[in-house]
Amino acid sequence: MVMKMFLLLLPFVFLSSVVVVVEAQGGSISAVDLSALREIKNSLTDITSSSPNAFFTSWDFNAPDPCSSFAGITCSSSIPRRVIILILGTGLSNSPGLAGTLSPAISNLSELSQLVLFSGIVTGPIPSQLGRLKKLSVISLTNNRLTGSIPNSIFTLSNLHTLDLSHNQLTETIPSSLSDMFSLKVLILGSNKLSGEIPSLPEELLHLDLSNNELSGVLTRKIRMPLTLRYLSVSGNRLLGPLSFLELLSELVYLDLSMNHFSGTIPSSLFRSTLSSMFLQRNNLTGGVPQLPPSSFATTIYGPGSIVDLSHNSLTGELTDTLAGVETLFLNNNRFTGAVPMNYVESVYSGSTRTLYLQHNYIAEFPVKEGLPLPDSVALCLSYNCMVPPVPVGFMACPASAGAQISRPLNQCSAFNTSMP
């Protein structure tokens, strides 16, 4: 899903990297740029330089026209030709990538608009000198071993559209000057070691991924979550507080707040079919799944590909019809009671709901359809509830974490208000 959203929001980021550059007659690369490329090559190396897919094989500084012969280089057509796109690494699945460090000489490529570093084991800090490249619209330095803080200078780049520094070892806080980046639409800083609170965000941000860091604090409306957000992931942090900051984010199609310490009830505005991927598992959420008014049914009909995970919280009450029809639905390890609404059962038997996990609740009834077998494609788990599952154990698809017990002990069901699931 993360890749689908990235391609959706950035149709031009990587397509432009394959543009064929036609050599201008009598043209030559800028001497400044050529010197910068030499320093860049001196600070990096192919992990397997003997491989036929080695990136730097084509970087022959005796070649007559590096703009047409160097891999990863796109130049302007004007003379002297300037490097406008620099893509380091092949990005091929069978290529281990590059090692070394990023040279500050990159900042001498003053016409650069896109800087991409593919997966490898490049170490060291991100050069603060990148802040000199005022034409940069894309910085993507993912899946390496970059360390240190994110340079403040990057947040002065007024034309920056996309910043992806994910899957590195970056530390310290996210600079507060982030909110001043009015052109920024995509920010991906996931899977680092960033700490502190989330600062206010650019007003027109579309895609935000801060997952798997060490961020903390309470998310409130004071943080100014952009109303334009379509993708939001802050999973795997130490964030606190209620979810009220989400109530006005009507453009969201993907939401992942899992594995934090969020509390309180789930806003009813989040239960809509346009928010087709919602992950709230492993928090401290309470309350129940709201029963939405009939007037809103047209906007809450979930379709193929939809997924909702509310598992491992403290949600209570009887299930409502709101989530019937979700293709992949995890409601396990909560405190739901009563009978499962018939709409859920019909969705399971029709195959529109392909996964339904209800184990480790206090559910008393799942009204099966007599004589009608479950579709082979359905994964249904009803174990450890306040009933004997009406579906034979052999026909259920429970994960190993569900345990071997089929039903809850009666004393837990009768003393529900003082028991934990």
Side-chain angles (χ1 to χ4, degrees), residues 57-77:
T57 301
S58 64
W59 282 41
D60 178 3
F61 286 90
N62 293 316
D65 182 21
C67 284
S68 60
S69 62
F70 280 27
I73 303 295
T74 300
C75 295
S76 64
S77 57

Side-chain angles (χ1 to χ4, degrees), residues 23-31 64-67 76 78-82:
E23 181 180 358
Q25 291 184 349
S28 62
I29 190 170
S30 158
D65 182 21
C67 284
S76 64
S78 58
I79 300 173
R81 304 183 73 183
R82 305 298 308 275

Side-chain angles (χ1 to χ4, degrees), residues 16 20-21 32 35 48 61 91 108 111 122 135 157 172 188 190 221 226 259 264 298 326 331 340 372 378 382 384 416:
S16 57
V20 176
V21 179
V32 172
S35 176
T48 54
F61 286 90
N108 294 330
E111 295 296 310
V122 176
K135 295 187 178 181
L157 296 173
E172 300 188 33
I188 306 175
R221 291 181 180 178
M259 294 180 286
V326 173
L331 299 175
V340 175
L372 188 62
V378 167
L382 302 173
Y384 210 66
F416 164 68

Side-chain angles (χ1 to χ4, degrees), residues 6 9-17 84-87 106 111-118 130 133-142 154 157-165 181 183-186 188:
F6 191 77
L9 298 173
L10 299 176
F12 59 86
V13 172
F14 294 119
L15 290 178
S16 57
S17 67
I84 57 176
I85 297 174
L86 176 60
I87 299 178
I106 294 173
E111 295 296 310
L112 198 64
S113 65
Q114 296 184 30
L115 172 62
V116 176
L117 172 65
F118 280 121
L130 293 184
L133 299 174
K134 300 304 181 184
K135 295 187 178 181
L136 273 178
S137 62
V138 174
I139 299 177
S140 177
L141 311 174
T142 66
I154 287 181
L157 296 173
S158 59
N159 292 311
L160 198 63
H161 175 285
T162 299
L163 178 61
D164 186 352
L165 306 177
M181 301 186 73
S183 296
L184 194 66
K185 299 295 187 292
V186 178
I188 306 175

Side-chain angles (χ1 to χ4, degrees), residues 3 8-9 16 32 50 67 72 102 104 129 154 157 192 203 234 239 290 295 303 310 316 332 344 346 386 420:
M3 285 301 300
L8 174 65
L9 298 173
S16 57
V32 172
S50 60
C67 284
L102 290 176
Q129 292 87 345
I154 287 181
L157 296 173
N192 280 287
E203 291 184 355
V234 294
L239 299 168
S295 59
L310 307 181
T316 57
N332 52 287
Y344 289 80
E346 292 173 351
C386 294
M420 292 293 292

